[in-house]
Amino acid sequence: MKKLWGGRFTKSAEEWVDEFGASISFDQELVLEDIEGSLAHVKMQGECGILSQEDVTAISNGLLTLKERAENGELQFSVKMEDIHLNLESMLIDEIGPVGGKLHTARSRNDQVATDMHLYLRNRTKEVINLINELQTALLNKAKDNVETILPGYTHLQRAQPISFAHHLLAYFWMLERDKERFTESFKRINKSPLGAGALAGTTFPIKRELSAEYLGFSSIYENSLDAVSDRDFILEFLSNSSMMMMHLSRLAEETILWCSQEFQFVELDDAFSTGSSIMPQKKNPDMAELIRGKTGRVYGNLFGLLTVLKGLPLAYNKDMQEDKEGMFDTVKTITGSLKIFAGMISTMKVRTDVMERAVKSDFSNATELADYLASKGLPFREAHEVVGQLVLTCINQGCYLADLSMDQFKEANALFEDDIYVVLQPYEAVKRRNSAGGTGFAQVQAAIVKAESLLK
């Protein structure tokens, strides 16, 4: 099979060399974007008088035929044609004859592939934002059902203070909101057209880059042809945003894994998102959460891989940049799958309110309430902290909790204690009273839910 660029070559590469250099095994993912870009390019060629309307019609009809066949999974790609661009051009020529070879007038594969990836990420970024919304909705719905569900809050993975379970879930809602903002903000840099930049220097043909950009729905064009074909910042930004989002999902995955363990038993995952053991019949493993936690490293790797590919490249295009696609495709697949899985996992998760309630009544996470109580009565907080620390030590030595101490013991520790201390020590009251802005108090959590709902609308 003759190469479409082979005019000056007298020798063909061996098959294994072709396979090493080809990208069609993965860049066929861009087939619809490549056709979309070509349709805009040929329309612009006609508007600018570069091609006759007869040629434009023939080429456009041929591209639409290829698009239909692509959507039906009927296209057969060849390694000999290297990449998606040459494969489609060869198919177009087979479909409509030599006139198909006019399509590549006034463009290069360099601006063509860049255009394809801008179109691809534009579509996938919209999809990711929608999937983030779906996971946020799942978190919000679960939070609405658990405003007054109380569980131990942790620092250093040690019991710290009782909090609303809804408040804990909403922390991830706001993390995802920032992720969504980052993807949304990056959209303006994705939605920029490199088409018409040529190989690196523009073209002598009287093209109108703004016209093809308009046809493709781009908001602007690259101002510099060298930058247009060599820029991969928009992919790096997508990979960076994805990495940060996966870090957030991994943290939630880790907590989910802990919560459904025998040691915690705070939640139970639906069977649809769990697996069993081939040897231990009793096991119910949180494999989907573990996979998301594990796949986070994969997404990080794609980011660092592309950063390393680009770090020493001179302008403009270099074959190294063929390595920009597989990590991008893999990241899209990974993050969209992770978001879908997590939305289902949260929606179907059973919350063990009884276990959480027992947990907060069997620890010292209400100790800060005692210190705050004394501070509110005028005792310097540092002194209050010391008093309560001694009371905790007394409880540890006696094998009881703060609420089990007698009034005499409280009075002995400090005369400021009154009978109302037993109300203050109740986990429900401890959570309810934390009504500072953004706190875990029930009124604050309800306000946060209202604000979250308005954002999703």
Side-chain angles (χ1 to χ4, degrees):
M1 186 181 292
K2 183 181 177 182
K3 304 281 190 184
L4 293 183
W5 45 258
R8 59 95 68 214
F9 286 79
T10 59
K11 183 178 179 180
S12 297
E14 293 187 39
E15 184 176 350
W16 69 269
V17 176
D18 278 340
E19 289 176 355
F20 183 80
S23 60
I24 190 59
S25 64
F26 51 86
D27 70 9
Q28 59 186 273
E29 181 84 17
L30 297 169
V31 60
L32 294 178
E33 285 81 8
D34 200 74
I35 293 171
E36 183 182 359
S38 292
L39 284 166
H41 181 66
V42 74
K43 186 177 179 182
M44 182 273 293
Q45 287 174 312
E47 290 292 326
C48 296
I50 298 169
L51 295 185
S52 69
Q53 285 305 311
E54 182 181 359
D55 287 345
V56 170
T57 300
I59 292 171
S60 297
N61 287 340
L63 288 169
L64 290 172
T65 298
L66 293 180
K67 180 182 180 182
E68 183 178 355
R69 288 169 59 193
E71 290 172 337
N72 293 331
E74 297 171 358
L75 296 183
Q76 298 293 319
F77 301 107
S78 168
V79 169
K80 286 291 183 183
M81 285 292 103
E82 299 178 23
D83 55 36
I84 189 60
H85 323 297
L86 296 185
N87 267 270
L88 286 174
E89 187 174 341
S90 177
M91 292 176 193
L92 181 65
I93 292 170
D94 289 344
E95 184 73 27
I96 65 173
V99 68
K102 294 184 177 183
L103 171 63
H104 208 56
T105 306
R107 77 173 180 185
S108 161
R109 281 186 293 173
N110 294 358
D111 62 335
Q112 189 178 355
V113 69
T115 301
D116 289 0
M117 289 191 292
H118 277 274
L119 291 171
Y120 175 87
L121 272 191
R122 187 174 70 181
N123 293 335
R124 298 318 182 277
T125 298
K126 291 177 182 176
E127 180 185 3
V128 169
I129 289 170
N130 288 334
L131 289 172
I132 292 175
N133 274 331
E134 290 180 15
L135 176 51
Q136 285 181 297
T137 299
L139 287 165
L140 185 57
N141 288 337
K142 192 64 71 174
K144 286 159 73 173
D145 292 338
N146 288 281
V147 173
E148 296 190 3
T149 299
I150 301 171
L151 81 163
Y154 293 82
T155 63
H156 307 278
L157 210 55
Q158 302 294 317
R159 300 273 181 94
Q161 292 175 295
I163 60 171
S164 160
F165 186 51
H167 188 60
H168 197 123
L169 293 174
L170 288 174
Y172 288 99
F173 178 97
W174 296 111
M175 290 182 209
L176 289 165
E177 185 65 21
R178 294 194 297 274
D179 292 326
K180 194 166 62 180
E181 288 171 1
R182 278 183 279 270
F183 280 112
T184 302
E185 170 66 20
S186 71
F187 193 82
K188 64 185 178 185
R189 287 176 286 280
I190 295 171
N191 200 32
K192 189 183 284 280
S193 177
L195 191 57
L200 76 162
T203 178
T204 59
F205 290 94
I207 65 171
K208 293 181 180 177
R209 290 185 60 206
E210 293 81 2
L211 202 56
S212 58
E214 179 185 336
Y215 295 152
L216 290 169
F218 287 122
S219 59
S220 61
I221 65 170
Y222 276 85
E223 300 296 335
N224 183 287
S225 60
L226 282 165
D227 185 37
V229 298
S230 60
D231 172 40
R232 294 298 183 267
D233 293 358
F234 67 103
I235 302 178
L236 286 171
E237 191 170 7
F238 179 85
L239 297 177
S240 175
N241 293 341
S242 299
S243 295
M244 200 172 304
M245 185 188 73
M246 284 299 291
M247 177 268 290
H248 292 149
L249 294 187
S250 185
R251 295 181 76 177
L252 180 54
E254 171 70 9
E255 294 200 305
T256 303
I257 292 161
L258 288 173
W259 289 341
C260 68
S261 68
Q262 191 70 25
E263 285 67 29
F264 282 76
Q265 299 185 61
F266 289 170
V267 302
E268 182 180 350
L269 297 182
D270 191 83
D271 287 358
F273 299 98
S274 307
T275 65
S277 165
S278 62
I279 187 173
M280 296 166 282
Q282 83 283 7
K283 293 294 293 295
K284 184 176 181 180
N285 300 325
D287 275 17
M288 297 304 105
E290 291 171 357
L291 272 174
I292 290 169
R293 186 177 59 182
K295 287 177 182 292
T296 300
R298 177 190 195 111
V299 174
Y300 290 179
N302 292 334
L303 170 60
F304 285 109
L306 184 55
L307 280 168
T308 305
V309 166
L310 295 172
K311 75 171 184 64
L313 289 187
L315 296 177
Y317 185 83
N318 299 272
K319 187 69 168 178
D320 315 48
M321 294 169 80
Q322 181 171 293
E323 293 298 307
D324 60 2
K325 297 173 195 63
E326 287 180 281
M328 178 181 69
F329 296 147
D330 181 71
T331 292
V332 167
K333 180 180 178 181
T334 300
I335 67 172
T336 54
S338 297
L339 286 166
K340 289 175 184 175
I341 287 286
F342 237 128
M345 197 156 54
I346 293 295
S347 296
T348 58
M349 182 175 71
K350 179 182 178 183
V351 180
R352 301 287 303 277
T353 57
D354 56 331
V355 178
M356 291 182 182
E357 183 179 6
R358 285 199 300 272
V360 292
K361 289 182 177 179
S362 304
D363 63 17
F364 295 102
S365 62
N366 53 2
T368 305
E369 307 311 308
L370 286 187
D372 286 349
Y373 175 90
L374 292 174
S376 70
K377 289 181 175 288
L379 190 67
F381 185 81
R382 279 295 151 229
E383 292 182 33
H385 189 286
E386 177 71 19
V387 169
V388 176
Q390 290 295 323
L391 286 172
V392 170
L393 182 58
T394 296
C395 289
I396 292 171
N397 290 334
Q398 293 182 4
C400 65
Y401 298 104
L402 290 168
D404 300 324
L405 294 175
S406 68
M407 195 66 235
D408 287 341
Q409 287 174 299
F410 279 119
K411 284 288 190 181
E412 184 180 344
N414 192 281
L416 292 173
F417 284 119
E418 302 290 345
D419 289 341
D420 60 348
I421 193 60
Y422 293 105
V423 176
V424 172
L425 283 170
Q426 295 304 308
Y428 183 91
E429 289 297 320
V431 176
K432 180 182 177 182
R433 292 168 63 246
R434 296 199 170 273
N435 247 338
S436 56
T440 190
F442 304 134
Q444 285 296 320
V445 173
Q446 291 286 11
I449 286 172
V450 171
K451 186 172 184 179
E453 285 181 317
S454 69
L455 285 172
L456 289 182
K457 289 176 183 176

